Amino acid sequence: MENKKTKGRQKIPMKKIENEKALLSSFSKRRNGLFKAANNLVKEFDVDIGIIVFSPTGKPHSFFHPTVDAVISRFQNPDMQLSDETHLAMVFARNSVNQLEKKLEELDIKEKIESDRTNYLDQMTKTRQKGWWESIEQLNEDEVSKFEAWLNVASFTMHYRLNQSIVSS
């Protein structure tokens, strides 16, 4: 812990942000966090939720699940049973969200695989660019002994096969 290069994640005091770029950036990040938290509530507890937020520039942003109509109807009359039409819209919306989440998960997996593959290929390219003599210089004493034994076996095998080919011809 003594050799930490950064202080780590720090708590930011809640105060009005004066810098417009920082304000818009911070709003966007917090809005996304709020909507992500709302989405998690929907997933975990199967709740109906509605959020409306206006950005510092006055642009409205909203998150409703399952639909705007369903949330407003439930807000106005919590004991009311939903109409068949609203219920079908809710089911359709939930199914659509689930399908999109599955596709997103698949794409995330594919992206991870391709990223790992790219890293592997980059590493292979770096390795190929090194000359064999550079690799040998980095070996420790035990690795040098093993490499020398491998070279001796390879040399013996090459001489043996050469002699076999001369005798065969």
Side-chain angles (χ1 to χ4, degrees):
M1 290 282 187
E2 298 159 8
N3 296 333
K4 273 184 112 173
K5 295 180 181 177
T6 64
K7 292 182 179 180
R9 191 170 176 177
Q10 298 290 311
K11 183 171 180 149
I12 300 171
M14 297 299 281
K15 63 178 181 177
K16 176 111 170 97
I17 300 172
E18 301 299 330
N19 182 330
E20 188 175 347
K21 274 187 171 179
L23 175 73
L24 295 175
S25 173
S26 182
F27 171 79
S28 178
K29 290 175 186 175
R30 289 185 184 261
R31 182 195 69 223
N32 289 338
L34 176 65
F35 289 172
K36 187 173 186 177
N39 189 41
N40 288 340
L41 282 172
V42 169
K43 281 186 198 174
E44 291 179 32
F45 304 107
D46 197 29
V47 298
D48 297 344
I49 192 166
I51 301 172
I52 299 174
V53 179
F54 290 90
S55 72
T57 59
K59 183 178 178 185
H61 301 272
S62 63
F63 178 93
F64 286 93
H65 188 79
T67 65
V68 174
D69 293 334
V71 172
I72 291 174
S73 296
R74 297 257 336 252
F75 181 76
Q76 290 173 338
N77 189 357
D79 298 328
M80 179 184 80
Q81 292 295 322
L82 298 175
S83 70
D84 288 341
E85 183 180 299
T86 306
H87 184 71
L88 285 174
M90 282 178 32
V91 170
F92 179 76
R94 283 197 174 121
N95 287 339
S96 296
V97 167
N98 289 340
Q99 288 175 353
L100 290 172
E101 285 178 344
K102 285 179 185 177
K103 285 182 182 178
L104 181 61
E105 287 175 12
E106 290 171 6
L107 290 173
D108 285 343
I109 290 169
K110 288 179 181 178
E111 180 185 28
K112 172 83 170 106
I113 289 169
E114 288 303 316
S115 175
D116 290 347
R117 184 173 176 261
T118 301
N119 290 340
Y120 174 75
L121 292 174
D122 287 347
Q123 191 65 30
M124 291 300 292
T125 301
K126 287 178 186 174
T127 303
R128 280 192 212 121
Q129 289 173 352
K130 280 185 180 179
W132 62 270
W133 56 90
E134 292 176 37
S135 300
I136 291 174
E137 291 174 356
Q138 296 175 358
L139 298 178
N140 63 32
E141 187 177 331
D142 187 43
E143 292 169 330
V144 168
S145 297
K146 289 179 183 177
F147 185 63
E148 184 178 12
W150 178 83
L151 285 175
N152 289 336
V153 169
S155 175
F156 175 79
T157 304
M158 285 180 9
H159 286 311
Y160 176 78
R161 288 189 180 166
L162 181 62
N163 288 336
Q164 289 295 325
S165 65
I166 292 173
V167 171
S168 304
S169 8

